[in-house]
């Protein structure tokens, strides 16, 4: 559903999925559909953004990086030191995404 090029097609895929599984797994389909419509809000954005915002992978990766750095430090002496680390991880993340694409070069 989420890789459908349009909102309309995503809705059609959702309907096909629900129609296929509703009779066999009604409780699972009920749970699946609860709040599902909110996950389609990324279709309101320009299509060029879809691949970045339709999942939480980037956000999860960011917080995994923050937790790893925080674990290295241990206990923070105050809130300001925690926020400073958070800021630095944000800066590092931006630096990763802002660097120009480099053509893959063979090392042969």
């Amino acid at each position: 559903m989420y890789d459908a090029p349009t909102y309309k097609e995503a809705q059609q895929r959702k309907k096909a999925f629900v129609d296929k599984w509703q009779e066999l797994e009604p409780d699972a389909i009920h749970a699946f559909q609860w709040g599902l419509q909110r996950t389609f809000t990324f279709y309101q954005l320009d299509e060029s953004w879809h691949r970045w915002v339709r999942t939480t992978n980037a956000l999860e990766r960011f917080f995994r990086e923050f937790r790893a750095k925080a674990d290295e430090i241990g206990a923070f002496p105050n809130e300001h030191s925690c926020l400073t680390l958070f800021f630095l991880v944000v800066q590092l993340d931006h630096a990763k995404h802002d660097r120009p694409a480099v053509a893959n070069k063979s090392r042969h």
Side-chain angles (χ1 to χ4, degrees):
M1 285 178 272
Y2 296 109
D3 63 350
T6 65
Y7 175 78
K8 184 178 179 180
E9 188 172 332
Q11 292 289 45
Q12 292 169 344
R13 291 179 185 187
K14 180 190 97 167
K15 183 180 179 335
F17 180 84
V18 169
D19 290 347
K20 178 179 179 178
W21 294 102
Q22 179 65 45
E23 190 173 321
L24 293 170
E25 297 290 344
D27 292 339
I29 290 299
H30 175 76
F32 170 74
Q33 291 189 94
W34 183 85
L36 180 67
Q37 201 57 39
R38 287 180 290 214
T39 68
F40 288 153
T41 57
F42 71 90
Y43 282 107
Q44 296 171 11
L45 301 172
D46 185 78
E47 187 178 346
S48 65
W49 284 88
H50 290 184
R51 87 179 252 248
W52 299 107
V53 297
R54 71 178 165 217
T55 71
T56 60
N57 291 348
L59 188 59
E60 291 169 10
R61 189 175 326 119
F62 171 79
F63 280 110
R64 187 171 45 247
E65 180 74 20
F66 175 76
R67 281 191 303 272
K69 298 293 184 197
D71 287 347
E72 288 176 22
I73 292 172
F76 291 100
N78 54 46
E79 183 178 353
H80 182 76
S81 63
C82 180
L83 292 174
T84 300
L85 176 64
F86 192 85
F87 172 78
L88 293 172
V89 172
V90 167
Q91 293 297 101
L92 178 64
D93 191 59
H94 280 301
K96 287 179 188 175
H97 297 292
D98 288 343
R99 66 179 170 224
V102 177
N104 290 334
K105 295 182 179 179
S106 174
R107 293 185 175 204
H108 299 290

